[in-house]
Amino acid sequence: MEMQKNLVIRHEGNPILTKDDIPYPVQTVHNAGVTKFEGRYIMLFRSHLDTGRSIIGIAQSEDGFRFEARPEPFMTPSKEPVFCQYEEFGVEDPRITYIEDAYYITYSAYSAHGVRIGLAKTTDFQSVERVAFITQADYRNTVLFPEKIDGRYAKLDRPHSDISPWSIWISFSPDLRHWGDSKLVMKPVPYHWDEMKIGPGAPPIRTEQGWLNIYHGVFPTMDGHVYRLGAALHNLDDPAEILGVGDRWILQPEDPWEVTGYVHNVVFTCGAVPEEDGTLKLYWGGADKVMCAGTAVIDELVELCLTDSRAPM
Ligand code: BMA
């Protein structure tokens, strides 16, 4: 059998950001959203405090690999009504999408009422404004498409369920606040690396063949759960239609800081940056403790989805 090519090439400087690089006390640096802003890379990263609750910090970089954290966090649980009521236990896993003229941040808001998704907005990465909660409880992993599709905004997310394995859904909105027309688009597959649950990872990336969705999938073992990353391709004009889901994972925990950490055996992405040369910078949290980066060729990920596919459900 031919050796399979690694689709994601790890950066030799991994981990690229750890708690030792943060100028205030944190226990972890992980699950970061990343985007380009005024020629630089901006990273919004999650950190556990020693209370076990999370906040979101900000770092910037010239090359996308060497990041410098700012002295203050970017988002901490809101003190303002109505937001304070749903963020008391922390803010987690930010994803950033540039739409029209602003950067939108979707994040998980934790409270005694469950986990739901908040939408915040910035134009300068100095100040940030909460817009609305865009789901009820219990939802996680919401990613926004970077443009309107057929006149509407679109998002993917992952509701919780007692009946079905946790799966990826799509919804649409006229204004980013009110969402509907929800539809299931992709489910875990039994006895497959993503059999237990799946969720969106990086915000979808436009390619000529479709929207590239880098998602996470979880496999249960006797030694706990293993989080890996995979790729799916959605129809450009009708993203509720999946054109293909790569049968094999594109990244699994292998480096020591992915295998051992705060939660072992986890690679978890909240962001990827497409470059003009057709490559992608992919960012992931290693073992819920450190930030890692790698590169991939976008066409190779698309090809995986189209030529080596498993059924979307
Ligand atoms: C998920 C989320 C992620 C985390 C992952 C692995 O359920 O809590 O934030 O990275 O588990 O622990």
Side-chain angles (χ1 to χ4, degrees):
M1 220 174 137
E2 226 179 289
M3 280 286 282
Q4 257 163 347
K5 189 173 172 206
N6 282 334
L7 292 173
V8 178
I9 309 298
R10 286 175 165 83
H11 180 62
E12 69 276 9
N14 279 349
I16 59 168
L17 203 68
T18 74
K19 66 175 189 163
D20 299 332
D21 304 315
I22 311 305
Y24 46 90
V26 295
Q27 299 303 313
T28 65
V29 173
H30 65 300
N31 297 6
V34 184
T35 193
K36 267 193 180 167
F37 170 67
E38 293 183 343
R40 293 208 180 107
Y41 297 79
I42 296 277
M43 172 185 283
L44 298 182
F45 58 87
R46 169 177 170 196
S47 288
H48 281 105
L49 303 175
D50 56 13
T51 56
R53 296 182 178 177
S54 295
I55 60 171
I56 295 170
I58 183 166
Q60 61 196 46
S61 167
E62 299 293 332
D63 67 357
F65 296 114
R66 279 167 304 176
F67 281 85
E68 194 178 339
R70 291 199 201 149
E72 301 292 336
F74 189 65
M75 287 178 77
T76 54
S78 175
K79 303 266 184 288
E80 306 295 323
V82 139
F83 288 92
C84 62
Q85 211 187 329
Y86 297 101
E87 298 187 8
E88 193 196 345
F89 292 177
V91 286
E92 304 188 357
D93 297 4
R95 274 96 170 174
I96 313 167
T97 311
Y98 183 70
I99 313 177
E100 289 155 5
D101 54 0
Y103 292 84
Y104 289 90
I105 301 153
T106 50
Y107 60 96
S108 302
Y110 274 82
S111 73
H113 314 303
V115 51
R116 64 189 305 202
I117 301 298
L119 178 68
K121 179 181 179 177
T122 183
T123 50
D124 56 9
F125 288 101
Q126 297 297 334
S127 63
V128 58
E129 170 198 337
R130 258 81 168 169
V131 178
F133 286 109
I134 56 171
T135 72
Q136 315 166 48
D138 276 305
Y139 280 74
R140 286 185 50 92
N141 307 311
T142 295
V143 295
L144 298 175
F145 285 77
E147 57 193 78
K148 281 184 175 169
I149 301 166
D150 202 12
R152 295 189 298 177
Y153 299 99
K155 71 174 162 81
L156 300 175
D157 54 26
R158 206 281 307 284
H160 297 195
S161 167
D162 285 340
I163 296 172
S164 162
W166 300 359
S167 305
I168 298 177
W169 290 63
I170 196 165
S171 309
F172 298 92
S173 171
D175 59 3
L176 287 170
R177 287 169 172 266
H178 305 91
W179 293 86
D181 261 351
S182 302
K183 198 173 157 191
L184 171 68
V185 294
M186 189 174 146
K187 284 183 90 153
V189 163
Y191 218 75
H192 192 256
W193 65 267
D194 67 2
E195 79 163 2
M196 185 179 157
K197 55 177 177 172
I198 58 174
I205 291 156
R206 179 187 256 285
T207 74
E208 272 171 30
Q209 292 92 332
W211 294 105
L212 180 64
N213 163 15
I214 299 178
Y215 72 100
H216 67 262
V218 184
F219 190 82
T221 76
M222 294 300 283
D223 187 31
H225 301 150
V226 183
Y227 277 73
R228 300 186 174 98
L229 302 181
L233 199 68
H234 300 236
N235 185 328
L236 279 183
D237 303 322
D238 175 14
E241 186 201 340
I242 303 242
L243 304 174
V245 184
D247 192 40
R248 59 188 172 104
W249 65 70
I250 61 167
L251 192 76
Q252 70 155 347
E254 277 173 22
D255 272 338
W257 47 83
E258 296 165 347
V259 171
T260 311
Y262 191 82
V263 178
H264 64 217
N265 280 323
V266 177
V267 292
F268 192 95
T269 187
C270 292
V273 175
E275 304 286 5
E276 276 170 13
D277 65 0
T279 62
L280 184 75
K281 287 191 177 65
L282 180 63
Y283 297 89
W284 62 91
D288 284 359
K289 192 165 179 194
V290 298
M291 271 313 293
C292 305
T295 52
V297 176
I298 294 173
D299 279 347
E300 292 180 359
L301 298 178
V302 168
E303 193 190 316
L304 173 80
C305 298
L306 293 177
T307 61
D308 187 6
S309 319
R310 60 104 156 152
M313 308 205 197

